[in-house]
Amino acid sequence: MLTSTPGYAGRLLRLDMSKLRSRAEPWSKEWAGLFLGGRGLASRLLYKEVSPEDKPFSEGNKLYLMSGPICGTAMPLAAQMAVVSKSPATGIYGLAMVGGHFSPELKKAGYDGIVVEGRSEQPTYVVVDDDKVEFRDAGKYWGMPTDRTQEFMLRELGGYYKTACIGPAGENLVRFAAVTVGRRTASRCGLGSVMGWKRLKAIAVRGRGEVEVADRGKVERVAEKAKKIVDDAPITRNYFKEFGTSNDAIKCNKHGVLPTRNFQTGVFEGALDISGEAMKAKGYIKGKTGCYNCHLECGRLTVVDKGPYAGAVTEGPDYDTLFSLGSNCGNSNVESVIAADMLCDTLGLDTISTGVVVSFAMECFERGIWSLKDTDGIDLRFGNHEAIVKLIPMIAYRQGIGDMLAEGVKMAAGHLGKGAQRYAMHVKGLEIGGYDPRGSSGIGFSMALGSRGGCHHGQGYLIPQELTLASVDRYAVKGKGVLVKENGEERRACDSAVACKFARYGIGDLAEMLSAVTGETYGSDELHVIGERVNNVERAYNVREGIRRRDDYLPKRFLEEPMPDGPAKGRIIDNESLLEDFYAVAGWDSQGVPTRRKLEAIGLSDLYRELAALGIAE
Amino acid sequence: MLTSTPGYAGRLLRLDMSKLRSRAEPWSKEWAGLFLGGRGLASRLLYKEVSPEDKPFSEGNKLYLMSGPICGTAMPLAAQMAVVSKSPATGIYGLAMVGGHFSPELKKAGYDGIVVEGRSEQPTYVVVDDDKVEFRDAGKYWGMPTDRTQEFMLRELGGYYKTACIGPAGENLVRFAAVTVGRRTASRCGLGSVMGWKRLKAIAVRGRGEVEVADRGKVERVAEKAKKIVDDAPITRNYFKEFGTSNDAIKCNKHGVLPTRNFQTGVFEGALDISGEAMKAKGYIKGKTGCYNCHLECGRLTVVDKGPYAGAVTEGPDYDTLFSLGSNCGNSNVESVIAADMLCDTLGLDTISTGVVVSFAMECFERGIWSLKDTDGIDLRFGNHEAIVKLIPMIAYRQGIGDMLAEGVKMAAGHLGKGAQRYAMHVKGLEIGGYDPRGSSGIGFSMALGSRGGCHHGQGYLIPQELTLASVDRYAVKGKGVLVKENGEERRACDSAVACKFARYGIGDLAEMLSAVTGETYGSDELHVIGERVNNVERAYNVREGIRRRDDYLPKRFLEEPMPDGPAKGRIIDNESLLEDFYAVAGWDSQGVPTRRKLEAIGLSDLYRELAALGIAE
């Protein structure tokens, strides 16, 4: 295996789908220093290679699947992969992080990442066997759900490969289709439909090499220490080990931020019913599942063995799904949430966007924008779990009203008119995640300012601080920008390294891990600068696409409709103050464009020069 | 690996589920000579070890999973496994043959077969790794469909194992639950529920050894020849290679023997719609699948990619399923048949019995024995494909009317009363297969006289002669017994060797294959005697259970209701003549009990002595 530098394979694998040719190319070691790898490297490559002229569904758009320097080593919870492209949901920067076993296998095969370019004439899948790369006819897999695709492909290949694929939703260009990696999903931003447009059904990879590290003994010691940190952190010890993310339903409800009936309120009368505790009490949770070299195991092997949804088996639902297909659809039938989760996974859909799209349809129905005639006779009242389960395949296959809903809430509301836009809960086109910003302002920052649009993992991530540990004032806006900024930097450093967001090791620990693996010396400050750099690359990408202050607003509901019940009752969120607070600490101007001073300070003068030449930056 | 004799591992693996202990034991080489292995050996062991006192669901009943001498060698189409037990469907001899990859793997692990005994306290699965055998807690797999069970188990074990398991139907003791091997099923006789009763969720096996053969060069030559015979046989060449068994729908309809609306007629107006040709024309057939070392590949990778059943993926449906869940339910919606096939496979149900159970319910409904009130509001009119798909999980989970239907047509009709027995299409409790005996008397022999009850593979198998090649008079009864008897012997020799029923090599070829593998000299005549011996062991088993002439009757419909339409219009079948003809050539008395003369002539004096001591044989 080619490994020129500890921690790095030193090569990117470019797949030209138009010519069905591959090329392994070395990549700039300078960029490893500036962006680490993973999300950072992918973002920088996207900025360089995919311009405003390149539409999401065009030959010019590219899909990046990027591993990072600590992946495939002894370091725990370091199996993530950054999937990056121009998003068909938002038309701007698109990112989804995913775990599993693909990313370390890719490293072992001798690549730091894959870049998918162009578009194939016919459905195709790619088999990567160390240096050997083969394009094969995927005709027989086209139309298959993700579980069957991987099952039959593994059987054909012999079972030794790690696989990523799309389901019918990706093939049908649903704008919130996921890329599926084993049973995990790179779910946000509709990147599965980019793969579908390129007619790339799947990638299978096998690597026989090892990831070179600078100091094996040190790596082992640091890895052991990191494992212990993960074990001992209060959140993981008291909480994660038992339920993964699934008991957030109760916690969020207690705080009054559990999105309910399309974010109309933050308190759900059925919160207990859809909690991890309920699934456990009913005997559905049968075990834990995790990614490569993970002892935390956030996945829950969930099996419904009775009732009308018997036979549903998933590795979730995680909190994101419990809220989106549960409370946010007014649905307290947890079995239906599990079944809906399975459907989303097998059809290749982002569960968050799917749930928010369904809840949007339900609110339109309840408010009379849609009648039974419009909905193919489906009674879309909140809480009708049969309707939820019925809508999901219609979306994936674009049948009936599913066809319009497959465009996501922003575009669907545009088609619908009649004031539906008010019920489209998104920022920049991305359906928002499972926390009501009226009761958790850090989430408001994250959703308003996230480079990928309205996601709770969009900018920084203050959920532990605001909700789990309650160590900061969850309503305050002013002065919180700095926390969000710093957390966003840490997140981007992790996503670039690539470490899991659920690892509770701190940025200092990550620096130690990176130093042991690469032989370079990293410190917390440096990682913060790297994270800030990545954030500015992403923002620069978006402003080049036309994003400005006007786009950094949460849905009007959060700004104008006071929370009707619960602990956050009466509250709205002050979006103006939020932007002012964040732009100031981020070093962005009043329109949210990174300033010359900031870009030059963090080594992005080249980006400044381009933005200035375009008349964007001053 | 322990291999005392070429072709044989020389050991059986006994799994004591009560004590969670295993034992590898040598077995009588004398029996290899008398019964070969596979079905023959399993049948002889059942006779010896499971007595009339042992009910199907009792600690005394055992489950035999038997490979055979040519399995795991270079011989093609030799990956079958005989699964044998006392059947919960019939209370008598139960058998299901199944292909896949488990049987050769078992041989390579050093066992000719597995005997499952007793009953575990807790759901358990067993991992066989050459000599190492481990009983593990299957709590987390209990309740899972067969696809997920194998997927998660393989992931846990590392992907190198071959697996057999049951689905929810087996756990819930549905009397027609299957044992699933990969994606193939040992479907008939409800043997999955025996496994379920024993609380054995799954077996995983890995073998690192090789199967010893007497003459490697000869084996290779004979294997090549056998492959060529398979390739060149008219049936396989013209027919199987294209469609597997799936175009039998058109052939059987043409001959007027395609079971339609619960065997009311043999002509179905929607035959073309449910044919392999239709599935191909609609683009659903995406590829072929086969068992270990099989180049015939009877499985069809079938994917529905549009419409309300989009997402259904199976390796079929084969003809057995097209008739049972298609024409026999008056259902011409092939997409629903594919979806129903997938449900049966994943829930672990025999598709033949499931379809015949559903068609029974439909006839009861149409004739007013059942009303909408009785059927939980399900409109069970023939042709209602949504009702068919809805009933299947209800059966597997014993919900609503599914609970009664899970008992099979014989018992369900008994519960129902009101003349429902007339519409219960079974022999000895086993739902009958996909050919109307009024237009194919060989099938009548097979169903009436099959040791496992009403199956088209019950006694002999004259489908190629009567229907495909039309080389014998398909209506004649008198004089046909000898053909059925000889074919039944050949089938039992194949099932004991173990060779696939779709291999078109003849009994002489099989003899040559066996000779090359074992070093013993086999000829056609000897294999016929072995087959006859196995048949008489099976019959002796059944007569010891109380089976007599009165039990050898086809459903009254075929004896009393003339075929209403098509080429066989006006015909019934003469069951009396059929029995007289067969008993005479079989050497059975007028009650169908094997005679002393016959048993002694074929080396079964020991069985004769036991039957005589019991007052059964004279």
Side-chain angles (χ1 to χ4, degrees), chain A residues 27-284:
Chain A
W27 58 280
S28 150
K29 275 290 152 350
E30 188 199 337
W31 280 12
L34 290 170
F35 307 106
L36 282 181
R39 176 178 180 171
L41 176 60
S43 300
R44 186 62 186 86
L45 283 164
L46 183 80
Y47 187 92
K48 181 182 174 197
E49 300 178 354
V50 180
S51 77
E53 286 72 48
D54 301 312
K55 302 296 155 217
F57 295 146
S58 76
E59 300 225 0
N61 194 15
K62 301 186 184 183
L63 182 74
Y64 302 87
L65 304 152
M66 290 286 157
S67 189
I70 66 172
C71 183
T73 71
M75 296 304 176
L77 285 76
Q80 292 280 302
M81 178 161 71
V83 184
V84 167
S85 187
K86 184 178 281 192
S87 160
T90 62
I92 57 169
Y93 175 80
L95 161 82
M97 298 299 300
V98 61
H101 293 73
F102 189 96
S103 189
E105 195 75 17
L106 188 63
K107 287 280 293 286
K108 291 176 184 179
Y111 308 99
D112 295 307
I114 294 177
V115 185
V116 187
E117 311 179 345
R119 184 190 207 188
S120 163
E121 288 277 325
Q122 296 298 327
T124 299
Y125 71 108
V126 174
V127 182
V128 179
D129 208 336
D130 289 326
D131 281 343
K132 197 178 140 210
V133 180
E134 209 181 326
F135 293 80
R136 296 195 194 181
D137 176 9
K140 66 182 157 189
Y141 299 126
W142 204 251
M144 269 195 204
T146 60
D147 53 346
R148 306 290 178 225
T149 301
Q150 295 179 96
E151 173 193 345
F152 284 103
M153 194 165 63
L154 282 180
R155 203 206 298 174
E156 179 180 341
L157 297 174
Y160 304 92
Y161 291 77
K162 306 304 174 196
T163 51
C165 73
I166 55 167
E171 299 173 11
N172 297 327
L173 310 184
V174 175
R175 289 186 191 268
F176 43 96
V179 176
T180 303
V181 174
R183 279 190 156 269
R184 306 246 160 187
T185 48
S187 50
R188 306 244 64 193
C189 298
L191 307 184
S193 64
V194 174
M195 215 164 136
W197 193 88
K198 293 179 176 302
R199 299 203 182 95
L200 174 59
K201 177 67 179 174
I203 307 175
V205 63
R206 170 157 70 163
R208 290 183 186 76
E210 270 189 44
V211 178
E212 194 192 325
V213 295
D215 182 338
R216 190 163 299 273
K218 196 171 163 198
V219 163
E220 274 167 28
R221 284 192 305 279
V222 175
E224 275 313 303
K225 185 179 154 196
K227 270 185 200 171
K228 210 167 142 24
I229 292 169
V230 172
D231 282 333
D232 293 347
I235 289 183
T236 48
R237 202 178 55 221
N238 299 329
Y239 162 84
F240 235 87
K241 292 240 160 181
E242 181 78 18
F243 293 108
T245 66
S246 69
N247 84 339
D248 269 14
I250 290 173
K251 183 182 75 187
C252 289
N253 193 56
K254 196 184 80 187
H255 289 306
V257 298
L258 178 65
T260 300
R261 298 184 186 85
N262 201 34
F263 293 86
Q264 291 186 75
T265 181
V267 184
F268 182 49
E269 67 283 2
L272 272 174
D273 300 322
I274 58 165
S275 65
E277 287 82 345
M279 290 191 284
K280 196 184 170 192
K282 287 184 166 182
Y284 297 152

Side-chain angles (χ1 to χ4, degrees), chain B residues 109-157:
Chain B
Y111 308 98
D112 296 307
I114 294 177
V115 186
V116 187
E117 310 180 349
R119 183 192 208 190
S120 164
E121 291 275 327
Q122 297 298 329
T124 299
Y125 71 107
V126 174
V127 182
V128 179
D129 208 335
D130 288 326
D131 281 343
K132 195 177 142 213
V133 180
E134 209 181 327
F135 293 80
R136 296 195 192 180
D137 176 9
K140 66 182 155 187
Y141 299 127
W142 204 252
M144 268 195 205
T146 60
D147 52 346
R148 306 289 179 227
T149 301
Q150 297 179 96
E151 174 192 344
F152 284 103
M153 194 165 63
L154 283 180
R155 202 204 300 174
E156 181 180 340
L157 296 173

Side-chain angles (χ1 to χ4, degrees), chain A residues 2-5 7-12 25-29 110-112:
Chain A
L2 255 177
T3 51
S4 46
T5 311
Y8 293 97
R11 303 191 303 175
L12 297 178
E25 67 172 27
W27 58 280
S28 150
K29 275 290 152 350
Y111 308 99
D112 295 307

